Amino acid sequence: MNTEEIPIVPVIVGALALLFFGYEVERQRHKLRQIFNVFDREESEIASLLEAMIASGQLRPYSPGEQV
């Protein structure tokens, strides 16, 4: 009969360490995004599309005090 035991304590400690590492990385990414206001991929695509629409003349850039 196979009587090998799975070392449960190291497995639990390893899983907890990985969870903590993932949590800490996500917390630091969130902190840096708040500090530097970094665009996500979706926001970058929207911004580049709006810039292209301005360049083609479909939109005009906002100018305060200018009436339409």
Side-chain angles (χ1 to χ4, degrees), residues 2-47:
N2 193 357
T3 59
E4 292 182 26
E5 294 181 19
I6 298 174
I8 194 77
V9 173
V11 170
I12 291 174
V13 170
L16 287 174
L18 285 174
L19 286 172
F20 176 74
F21 179 75
Y23 170 76
E24 191 64 27
V25 166
E26 188 61 33
R27 191 176 69 84
Q28 290 295 327
R29 285 180 64 206
H30 181 70
K31 180 180 175 183
L32 289 173
R33 281 192 176 136
Q34 283 184 334
I35 291 171
F36 295 109
N37 195 18
V38 176
F39 282 165
D40 287 335
R41 181 182 311 168
E42 183 178 327
E43 292 168 330
S44 295
E45 290 174 1
I46 292 170

